[in-house]
Amino acid sequence: MCGIVGYIGDKTAKEVIIKGLKRLEYRGYDSAGISTITSDGINTTKTKGKVSKLESAIQKDDHQGGVGIGHTRWATHGAPSDKNAHPHSDASGKFTLVHNGIIENYTVLKQLLADNQIHCETDTDTEVLVQFIGYLYEREKLSFADTVRLALTEVVGAYGIVVLCADEPDTIIAARLGSPLLLGIGENEYFVASDSSPIIEYTRNIVFLDEGEMAIIQPDLYKVINIKENLIVPKDVEEIKYNLEEIEKGGYDHFMLKEINEQAVTIAEAIRGRVNAENNQVMLGGIYDWVQQILDANHIIITACGTSWHASLIGSYILEELLQVPVKVEYASEFRYRETAVNGDTVVICVSQSGETADTLAAIKKAKEKGALTLGIVNAVGSSIARETHCGVYIHAGPEIGVASTKAFTAQVTIFNLIGLLLSEKKGVDAAVLNPIITDLIRLPDLITRVLHDGNSIIPLTEDFMNVGNFLYLGRGYQFPVALEGALKLKEISYIHAEGYPAAEMKHGPIALIDEDMPVVFIVTEKGYDKIVSNIQEVKARGGKIIIITSETNKELENFSDHIIQVPKVNHCLQPILTTIPLQLLAYHMAVLKGCDVDMPRNLAKSVTVE
Ligand code: G6P
């Protein structure tokens, strides 16, 4: 949600910032803006729309100098407009600020400002914050840094901010509470950004700002302080591990298509060094020391949002089946506010691609407060969730840029299998149960390549259904979460309304919607085959159009279906990985055919750092 870039150094700040904002655009694309600063003052350009629009709005000779901040917005308070675009300024024009998050006590602060004849011009909570900083600066006569610190001690809510002050044009201040920010440490130059993608081109050295920290950055030095206590915090410099090519499209039309096609490689990466094919053993260094504690737990809760929640649902089936312990899946946004029975005998697993989702992060904090052991399944290395959990497993899918998650989902399901295998081995589950999963895990990258090879066979199907208003996705058992994920992909990027349901539940409501205009996607595998065939008949009898994704070669299915896509058959714990891929491709090709913006679907953002 909202992308932030800041730069101070010898380069032209404008160039670093615009390039960086383009890399962060997956976080929001409602409006974009830039402020640069020299001894002559602050210069701001901002506009509704994407970063490319901002780029065209900037005059050739405008925004010179080596200090600046930029923002790409996902609107919370205030509609997307030129006026509400960041950066925002205070009434004196001395301060300019970009913000990711929500200032929850903005009405109180706004009233205080109004009482002092300072009136906000925009609809945003962010303007209130920068006005408040300007007000305190006048009132307290403190330095730039001390004023920002003081203001932040009064703020309730979540923020990642970067601020400039005309009185100190050689200083950038960045601060974080609840929204990610990191510093890039170059040679006499520094970067600030919401993630490392705007930085990697210039330096691999980064410093993560932790909750409640503020960085004061000048061309030749930086320091990080704790906002509450005003004490210097020593920080470790860490290294960015991925390569620049991984965050570029690499010849594909869209990041989403690239990421779908990467899945054979990402699954190979997820299992690399973790599965020993000679003795059929699984090793996960990030949780190894915690295995006994996990096995001793009374129950397991898995919490996540969006696509990661769908992977978690599959994960719950895997863990409950293999370990025979109760496993529950919760939306993080519900779990964090519900009265739960979590205690020291609970293991809470948090699943997140970005590692920054606000609700999931809050869910971990709550679980920790209640004494639970927390385990993260995360993609983004060094992200907040990865650092907040006691132990965890990285999915190693590499950067995922397309807003609709694809390769992270299949890697998350793979990791749940690995965790299930490791824990079951330690628990003494019969090798006859576990070895078939291991055998198929090792085959998986080749099988995914086969599925992807046939990927274009989905295109005629999208042509047949591009004008329908609704889709229904039905599956049983391990394929029910796949139905949910298939429906989510379609609605996210092609804006066709789609519902995922357990196939048998269709009779309790959705069947009323079925007529000759309703395509129904059935995901059919060996488990529950006869039952789902009956459900197919029920839809067919009512004129619905049948699309089948199956691991079965049964001729009978061909007779029932208007379209059939077959994927290789594997162990049922892994089968969702193969059945999901055609559904990702269905959504992708449908969106392309309908002329939708696949990588930046309307209203969505990849990293949801607000509630
Ligand atoms: C957003 C993204 C989804 C993602 C969800 C959870 O809604 O658009 O693709 O599944 O957030 O994100 P996380 O990073 O925690 O997996």
Side-chain angles (χ1 to χ4, degrees):
M1 298 262 118
C2 301
I4 289 177
V5 188
Y7 177 76
I8 185 162
D10 295 334
K11 298 187 173 62
T12 307
K14 156 177 84 172
E15 278 157 24
V16 176
I17 290 167
I18 295 293
K19 211 171 193 185
L21 289 180
K22 284 187 178 167
R23 295 236 163 92
L24 290 177
E25 221 167 4
Y26 71 87
R27 301 177 70 87
Y29 27 85
D30 291 333
S31 63
I34 181 170
S35 286
T36 48
I37 190 167
T38 62
S39 48
D40 294 337
I42 293 169
N43 182 6
T44 298
T45 310
K46 51 192 198 170
T47 174
K48 183 180 170 186
K50 293 189 176 161
V51 179
S52 53
K53 202 167 158 221
L54 172 69
E55 197 175 14
S56 329
I58 295 174
Q59 306 300 319
K60 192 165 171 285
D61 296 328
D62 220 359
H63 290 290
Q64 295 306 315
V67 187
I69 58 178
H71 189 267
T72 176
R73 178 169 188 242
W74 186 86
T76 57
H77 291 56
S81 65
D82 290 356
K83 181 181 80 172
N84 289 334
H86 299 217
H88 289 285
S89 306
D90 73 318
S92 73
K94 277 192 179 163
F95 292 92
T96 183
L97 177 148
V98 289
H99 170 218
N100 171 22
I102 294 178
I103 307 299
E104 288 174 0
N105 62 337
Y106 81 102
T107 42
V108 178
L109 298 176
K110 202 169 183 174
Q111 188 57 53
L112 183 147
L113 292 168
D115 294 345
N116 288 279
Q117 283 67 56
I118 298 169
H119 299 285
C120 294
E121 289 173 4
T122 74
D123 312 315
T124 65
D125 52 332
T126 305
E127 189 197 348
V128 175
L129 176 58
V130 71
Q131 293 278 21
F132 184 54
I133 291 172
Y135 160 73
L136 288 179
Y137 189 67
E138 255 327 286
R139 194 184 80 181
E140 302 291 329
K141 310 286 182 219
L142 294 170
S143 68
F144 173 25
D146 285 342
T147 309
V148 174
R149 195 189 75 76
L150 179 65
L152 293 178
T153 58
E154 301 287 322
V155 161
V156 177
Y159 55 80
I161 56 164
V162 190
V163 202
L164 300 177
C165 172
D167 289 343
E168 296 184 38
D170 281 343
T171 305
I172 288 186
I173 292 186
R176 134 171 211 175
L177 186 73
S179 303
L181 269 189
L182 46 86
L183 313 184
I185 314 294
E187 293 261 322
N188 293 327
E189 62 178 355
Y190 295 104
F191 306 80
V192 187
S194 304
D195 72 23
S196 56
S197 60
I199 297 174
I200 183 175
E201 195 168 336
Y202 312 103
T203 175
R204 290 189 164 271
N205 298 329
I206 49 170
V207 167
F208 289 99
L209 277 192
D210 283 308
E211 296 291 65
E213 289 180 351
M214 178 171 122
I216 300 143
I217 310 159
Q218 289 166 335
D220 48 357
L221 64 102
Y222 75 97
K223 68 175 177 186
V224 176
I225 61 164
N226 176 299
I227 296 169
K228 259 198 198 142
E229 286 144 21
N230 199 11
L231 293 175
I232 292 192
V233 186
K235 301 294 289 183
D236 291 334
V237 177
E238 298 180 37
E239 201 192 328
I240 302 175
K241 295 279 190 242
Y242 61 87
N243 294 316
L244 190 56
E245 304 84 68
E246 292 182 59
I247 54 170
E248 293 184 335
K249 278 194 199 143
Y252 284 95
D253 288 344
H254 300 99
F255 280 111
M256 183 180 178
L257 187 60
K258 176 182 176 230
E259 288 156 8
I260 291 172
N261 278 291
E262 278 172 356
Q263 289 177 107
V265 176
T266 51
I267 299 306
E269 280 300 305
I271 60 179
R272 192 157 65 96
R274 291 166 163 177
V275 178
N276 184 336
E278 276 161 27
N279 59 10
N280 274 350
Q281 287 209 326
V282 170
M283 177 61 187
L284 295 168
I287 62 166
Y288 197 77
D289 291 342
W290 305 85
V291 163
Q292 198 51 51
Q293 200 176 330
I294 301 170
L295 289 175
D296 289 344
N298 280 344
H299 65 290
I300 298 174
I301 294 176
I302 311 176
T303 185
C305 305
T307 288
S308 296
W309 190 91
H310 296 155
S312 300
L313 192 55
I314 298 172
S316 74
Y317 293 3
I318 295 168
L319 297 183
E320 190 152 342
E321 177 179 331
L322 294 180
L323 299 173
Q324 292 295 300
V325 286
V327 185
K328 202 157 79 170
V329 187
E330 294 238 22
Y331 289 107
S333 54
E334 293 295 315
F335 176 78
R336 65 180 288 194
Y337 290 118
R338 214 168 57 73
E339 285 309 319
T340 58
V342 170
N343 57 36
D345 292 326
T346 317
V347 173
V348 176
I349 301 180
C350 307
V351 185
S352 175
Q353 186 287 125
S354 63
E356 301 294 348
T357 302
D359 284 322
T360 313
L361 188 56
I364 303 170
K365 289 181 182 164
K366 172 174 172 171
K368 280 170 82 177
E369 275 165 26
K370 293 199 149 215
L373 172 67
T374 57
L375 185 163
I377 299 178
V378 172
N379 192 28
V381 176
S383 55
S384 303
I385 293 173
R387 286 179 302 135
E388 191 68 38
T389 37
H390 293 107
C391 59
V393 185
Y394 281 120
I395 67 170
H396 292 321
E400 190 181 67
I401 314 279
V403 165
S405 184
T406 51
K407 63 177 181 172
F409 174 82
T410 48
Q412 288 162 347
V413 176
T414 305
I415 296 301
F416 269 116
N417 274 280
L418 292 177
I419 292 175
L421 287 164
L422 172 66
L423 295 174
S424 328
E425 275 168 14
K426 298 293 172 214
K427 193 172 176 173
V429 174
D430 195 340
V433 176
L434 306 182
N435 290 352
I437 306 177
I438 296 183
T439 308
D440 280 352
L441 255 179
I442 294 164
R443 294 166 64 215
L444 213 48
D446 285 343
L447 300 180
I448 291 172
T449 305
R450 267 169 56 193
V451 176
L452 290 168
H453 189 257
D454 296 338
N456 285 347
S457 61
I458 210 105
I459 293 176
L461 192 162
T462 56
E463 286 160 357
D464 282 1
F465 296 112
M466 73 175 283
N467 294 318
V468 303
N470 299 286
F471 258 81
L472 192 59
Y473 287 68
L474 301 175
R476 279 175 178 259
Y478 280 77
Q479 302 306 322
F480 160 52
V482 173
L484 293 176
E485 177 59 9
L488 177 65
K489 285 290 87 86
L490 190 73
K491 69 183 139 195
E492 274 183 311
I493 59 167
S494 74
Y495 316 139
I496 296 176
H497 173 245
E499 294 288 342
Y501 252 80
E505 277 292 307
M506 171 187 70
K507 289 190 287 299
H508 301 286
I511 199 163
L513 300 170
I514 291 175
D515 60 17
E516 55 288 350
D517 295 326
M518 173 68 103
V520 183
V521 180
F522 281 93
I523 306 123
V524 183
T525 56
E526 190 184 18
K527 278 211 161 193
Y529 177 85
D530 292 339
K531 305 284 176 204
I532 203 160
V533 166
S534 306
N535 301 138
I536 294 171
Q537 296 284 24
E538 288 154 11
V539 171
K540 205 167 171 54
R542 288 160 180 83
K545 299 283 179 296
I546 311 281
I547 299 160
I548 294 178
I549 312 292
T550 183
S551 61
E552 294 294 300
T553 44
N554 202 322
K555 276 271 169 233
E556 176 189 38
L557 288 177
E558 287 172 24
N559 299 334
F560 297 151
S561 58
D562 295 281
H563 289 273
I564 186 162
I565 309 268
Q566 209 201 322
V567 298
K569 183 165 153 184
V570 285
N571 181 283
H572 62 275
C573 294
L574 297 167
Q575 193 68 60
I577 295 171
L578 296 183
T579 46
T580 299
I581 294 171
L583 301 181
Q584 297 170 341
L585 287 164
L586 166 62
Y588 171 79
H589 288 297
M590 186 70 89
V592 170
L593 200 63
K594 291 179 69 107
C596 302
D597 191 340
V598 172
D599 285 332
M600 293 186 224
R602 80 180 169 219
N603 302 338
L604 294 177
K606 184 140 191 81
S607 181
V608 181
T609 52
V610 295
E611 287 189 49

